[in-house]
Amino acid sequence: MTSTLAFDVEAVRKDFPVLAREVHGKPLVYLDNASSSHKPRQVLEAEREFVEQHYSNVHRGVHTLSQEATDAYEAARSTVARFIGAQHDDVVFTKNVTEAINLVAYALGNPGSPVPLGPGDEIAITEMEHHSNLVPWQMLAERTGATLRWLGLTGEGRLDLTNLDQIVNERTKLLAFTQVSNILGTENDVPALVARAKQVGALTLVDGAQSVPHQPVDVAALGVDLFAFTGHKMLAPSGVGVLWGRGELLNALPPFMGGGSMIEVVQMTGSTYAKAPERFEAGTPVISQAVALAAACDYLSAVGLDAIKAHEVALTARLLDGIRELPGVSVLGPDSTEARGSAVSFVVDGVHPHDVGQSLDDLGIAVRVGHHCAAPVCRRYGVPATARASSYLYNTETDIDGLLDGIVQVQRFWGAA
Ligand SMILES: Cc1ncc(COP(=O)(O)O)c(C=O)c1O
């Protein structure tokens, strides 16, 4: 550990079994965290202990295991709620952030929606959204006849707010945007966007998939109406995500799916629905994954989200500085750590991103290549795809230097240097 880093990274690394392995005979350098993170022993053990000792279905039994499982599941909800500054009942467990956003988009279009949408109404998003926060709104617009509008991007990869007042206007019913872009790394100005939405009476939904794992987030302080994130990018297993919403809004939304556990009274002629969160958790929920997510929140809190953020800023600065020194390599997105996450997309002149990713893999370095489920961003900047390196709490300066050396080797190998 060096003095610029805010916690003992080597001690953290020891908690992640996979970091000890080799890939193609080289020590693994895992820089694909924006896609999915690895899991520490503490999270794996929490899930295993729950499944081995307390597992049963929840909310359904009087026997001891069912009660223990219910207690663990609801305690997990409380932990996750505390992690984002929320109340227990306002946290809905979903499969992932994609399901959380679809839940809202679906519910808003259902009969009884507190925000009925139709021709003449508008939904606003941004051009930097992950497909998960784009396609559901296209589908909602199609279902209801509403119009989808979006904020564009500047050359530097920031939101272009010059026409914010036209895009978010009196016809706007919902503004949905990402807190941090998964492809550009850009961190958006949530208070400014929320303030404009409030002026016109529009709801706000924030995609926190790339913020919650990496920095302190307090949904109450952000002033948003709805917020969603996903467990597998924050040390938890895949299969669990979260939708948070203001309590009165959640309870005014019609259900997304019908089934067991989400009802109050069921008759053959019709049913009434439970309050949130059960209202949106039809069927057997993601029980052990939620327990593991709570353990991941505890792990991140123990290291400290401020410290994690500072660590990532230092690594991102090192990577951006290093890339700037490399001729023929350019970054897509902000070139400084100001209002920026740790995902760095880059393009190597003369080498297709897939070849970049393949050649780096030969060196044991895992980066993501492709359009990163944000195809309109690639189109906006005229590239077919990018390579993306994204660091997390267990990455080191050595990882970043290894990547920079690796890019030079890729250039030489492909005759692009
Ligand atoms: C900003 C953002 N939103 C949404 C998603 C979708 O996450 P999931 O596949 O867990 O639903 C991702 C994942 O890459 C993301 O980075």
Side-chain angles (χ1 to χ4, degrees), residues 8-17 19 28 394-396 399:
D8 187 347
V9 182
E10 288 308 324
V12 163
R13 287 178 66 82
K14 291 200 173 71
D15 291 333
F16 291 81
L19 297 180
L28 170 66
Y394 41 65
N395 289 114
T396 62
D399 290 347

Side-chain angles (χ1 to χ4, degrees), residues 358-376:
Q358 195 68 59
S359 296
L360 287 174
D361 183 61
D362 290 342
L363 303 171
I365 303 171
V367 299
R368 195 73 167 179
V369 295
H371 55 50
H372 314 290
C373 296

